[in-house]
C-alpha cells in the first residue's frame, strides 16, 4: 500500500475525486428521483446516460468540431451538446416510462417484474447502440452490420490547463467546470423540488400517493416529470463526462450506472442531497483507493465501501426520503 503517495499528494487526489464524484452524483439523481416516488430501481437509467454521450458525439460530429476551437465556438458547442444530451436522455427516460413501466403499473405488476423489465431495457439499449456505433474512421454514419463495440473518441472542446496551484495540488479548468456545473445543476434541482408548485406535487406523491390524488395532484404527470428530470440530469452528466474523459461506448453506462446507484444508496436513496454527498464521497474513496493499491482495485474498493457503510448505516449517510424533504 502506497501511503506515502496518498499522504504526500492528498490534496491532488481529493480534487480528482471531487470532480469524478460530481459526475456520479448527477447520474445518481435519476435513481433517487424515481425511487423516491415509485419505490422502483430503474436500472435502465445507466443507458439513459449512455444515450446522452452519443447525443453529444452526434451533435459535435454534425458540426465538424475539431480539437481546441476558439473560445466563442467552444461555448456554443458546449451549449449545443448540453441541449442535445438533455433532450435525448430526457426523451429516452420518458419513453422508457411510457412504453415499459406505465403498462406494468396499470396491471399492478409485482416489484420483481419492474426489476426484470429494467434490466431487459438496459440490455436492449446497449445492443441497439452497439449496432449503431460509428465505425473506426470516426464517421457519424450508423452501421447495422454488427461492427465491433469499440471505444469512440471525442474532440477536445476545452484544452485542460492548470488554473492555480496550492502547494503540490494543481486544479485544472476542466475540474472546476465539472464540479461547479454539477453542483449548480443539483442545487437547481433541489430548489425546484423544494420550492416550486411542481416540486410540491412530486413530494406529495412521494409521501402519500392516495392523499395526493385526493388533493388534485396528477400522479401520471408527476411520474413523467421525475423521469424527464432524472434523464436531463443524466444528459448533463454525459456532457461533463465528454469534456473530462472524451470518449464513449455502447456499454459505457454499465459500470458508471452501478457506481451512481452506489452513490445514491450511500447518501440515502430517495434523498437528493444524499445523492450529492454519496457521489462526492464515492469519487474521493475511489481515487484514494486507486492510489493506495492500484487502479485495477478501484471498482472493488467502491463496492466494499458501500457494504461497510450499509452495515452500520442501512439508510445511507443522510437517510431522508424525498417525500419527507423539507421546503
Amino acid at each position: 500500500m502506497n501511503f506515502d503517495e496518498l499522504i504526500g499528494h492528498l490534496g491532488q487526489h481529493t480534487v480528482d475525486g471531487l470532480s469524478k464524484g460530481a459526475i456520479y452524483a448527477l447520474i445518481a439523481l435519476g435513481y433517487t428521483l424515481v425511487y423516491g416516488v415509485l419505490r422502483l430501481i430503474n436500472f435502465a437509467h445507466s443507458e439513459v446516460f449512455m444515450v446522452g454521450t452519443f447525443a453529444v458525439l452526434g451533435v459535435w460530429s454534425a458540426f465538424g468540431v475539431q480539437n481546441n476551437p476558439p473560445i466563442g465556438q467552444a461555448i456554443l458547442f458546449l451549449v449545443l451538446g448540453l441541449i442535445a444530451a438533455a433532450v435525448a436522455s430526457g426523451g429516452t427516460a420518458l419513453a422508457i416510462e411510457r412504453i415499459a413501466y406505465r403498462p406494468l403499473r396499470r396491471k399492478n405488476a409485482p416489484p420483481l417484474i419492474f426489476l426484470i423489465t429494467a434490466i431487459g431495457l438496459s440490455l436492449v439499449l446497449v445492443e441497439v447502440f452497439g449496432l449503431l456505433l460509428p465505425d473506426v474512421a470516426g464517421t457519424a454514419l450508423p452501421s447495422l452490420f454488427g461492427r465491433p463495440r469499440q471505444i469512440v473518441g471525442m474532440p477536445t472542446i476545452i484544452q485542460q490547463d492548470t488554473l492555480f496551484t496550492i502547494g503540490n495540488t494543481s486544479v485544472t479548468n476542466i475540474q472546476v467546470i465539472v464540479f461547479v456545473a454539477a453542483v449548480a445543476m443539483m442545487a437547481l434541482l433541489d430548489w425546484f423540488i423544494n420550492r416550486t408548485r411542481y416540486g410540491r406535487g412530486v413530494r406529495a406523491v412521494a409521501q402519500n400517493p392516495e392523499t395526493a390524488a385526493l388533493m388534485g395532484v396528477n400522479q401520471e404527470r408527476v411520474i413523467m416529470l421525475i423521469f424527464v428530470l432524472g434523464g436531463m440530469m443524466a444528459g448533463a452528466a454525459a456532457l461533463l463526462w465528454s469534456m473530462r474523459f472524451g470518449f464513449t461506448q455502447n456499454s459505457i453506462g454499465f459500470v458508471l450506472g452501478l457506481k451512481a446507484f452506489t452513490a445514491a444508496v450511500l447518501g440515502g436513496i430517495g434523498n437528493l442531497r444524499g445523492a450529492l454527498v454519496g457521489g462526492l464521497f464515492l469519487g474521493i474513496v475511489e481515487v484514494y483507493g486507486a492510489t493506495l493499491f492500484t487502479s485495477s482495485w478501484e471498482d472493488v474498493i467502491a463496492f466494499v465501501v458501500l457494504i461497510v457503510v450499509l452495515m452500520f448505516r442501512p439508510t445511507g449517510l443522510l437517510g431522508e426520503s424525498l417525500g419527507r424533504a423539507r421546503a
Side-chain angles (χ1 to χ4, degrees):
M1 291 189 291
N2 195 352
F3 283 104
D4 292 338
E5 171 64 22
L6 177 61
I7 301 302
H9 298 86
L10 186 64
Q12 188 64 62
H13 298 314
T14 301
V15 170
D16 293 341
L18 288 174
S19 64
K20 191 175 186 180
I23 296 177
Y24 292 159
L26 271 181
I27 305 173
L29 290 173
Y31 291 104
T32 286
L33 283 169
V34 173
Y35 182 84
V37 173
L38 294 177
R39 296 297 184 268
L40 164 68
I41 304 298
N42 178 24
F43 280 117
H45 185 65
S46 56
E47 274 52 64
V48 172
F49 164 79
M50 179 267 294
V51 171
T53 64
F54 275 97
V56 174
L57 174 64
V59 167
W60 289 353
S61 298
F63 282 91
V65 178
Q66 302 297 321
N67 289 332
N68 304 320
I71 185 63
Q73 293 182 19
I75 294 174
L76 174 62
F77 293 143
L78 289 176
V79 171
L80 291 175
L82 177 61
I83 294 172
V87 170
S89 294
T92 301
L94 180 61
I96 288 172
E97 195 283 321
R98 293 287 91 180
I99 295 172
Y101 296 147
R102 186 182 186 187
L104 294 178
R105 289 202 316 275
R106 288 183 169 179
K107 295 178 181 179
N108 293 318
L112 181 61
I113 301 302
F114 283 92
L115 181 62
I116 294 172
T117 301
I119 295 172
L121 283 169
S122 176
L123 294 174
V124 167
L125 287 171
V126 167
E127 291 305 310
V128 166
F129 275 80
L131 294 175
L132 296 175
L133 198 62
D135 63 25
V136 290
T139 65
L141 297 176
S143 172
L144 296 176
F145 300 101
R147 293 187 183 275
R149 272 76 162 152
Q150 75 271 13
I151 293 174
V152 183
M154 298 184 182
T156 301
I157 298 296
I158 297 179
Q159 182 66 40
Q160 181 166 280
D161 295 313
T162 300
L163 281 183
F164 57 89
T165 301
I166 302 176
N168 59 359
T169 301
S170 298
V171 179
T172 68
N173 53 347
I174 298 297
Q175 289 172 329
V176 171
I177 292 171
V178 168
F179 182 79
V180 172
V183 171
M185 283 183 279
M186 284 182 277
L188 182 62
L189 179 63
D190 186 77
W191 172 84
F192 179 85
I193 294 297
N194 287 311
R195 299 292 181 181
T196 67
R197 175 186 175 188
Y198 295 107
R200 286 195 296 270
V202 170
R203 289 186 285 120
V205 174
Q207 188 169 8
N208 194 316
E210 292 77 14
T211 302
L214 292 174
M215 298 296 292
V217 178
N218 189 319
Q219 293 186 47
E220 289 300 319
R221 289 183 181 178
V222 167
I223 292 170
M224 291 171 63
L225 176 63
I226 61 168
F227 272 88
V228 170
L229 288 175
M232 291 175 68
M233 293 297 108
L239 176 68
L240 298 180
W241 171 272
S242 302
M243 288 178 57
R244 192 180 190 282
F245 297 101
F247 71 90
T248 187
Q249 191 179 19
N250 67 311
S251 59
I252 195 173
F254 178 71
V255 174
L256 276 174
L258 286 177
K259 290 183 179 180
F261 175 66
T262 300
V265 175
L266 278 174
I269 192 165
N271 186 327
L272 295 179
R273 296 169 189 177
L276 171 61
V277 172
L280 297 179
F281 178 74
L282 182 63
I284 292 173
V285 166
E286 272 195 4
V287 174
Y288 285 0
T291 304
L292 276 176
F293 302 97
T294 62
S295 59
S296 59
W297 284 84
E298 186 176 275
D299 297 340
V300 176
I301 292 168
F303 295 116
V304 167
V305 169
L306 170 66
I307 294 171
V308 171
V309 170
L310 293 183
M311 286 175 60
F312 297 97
R313 181 76 176 177
T315 58
L317 297 174
L318 300 187
E320 186 180 32
S321 69
L322 184 65
R324 298 177 183 272
R326 296 180 181 88

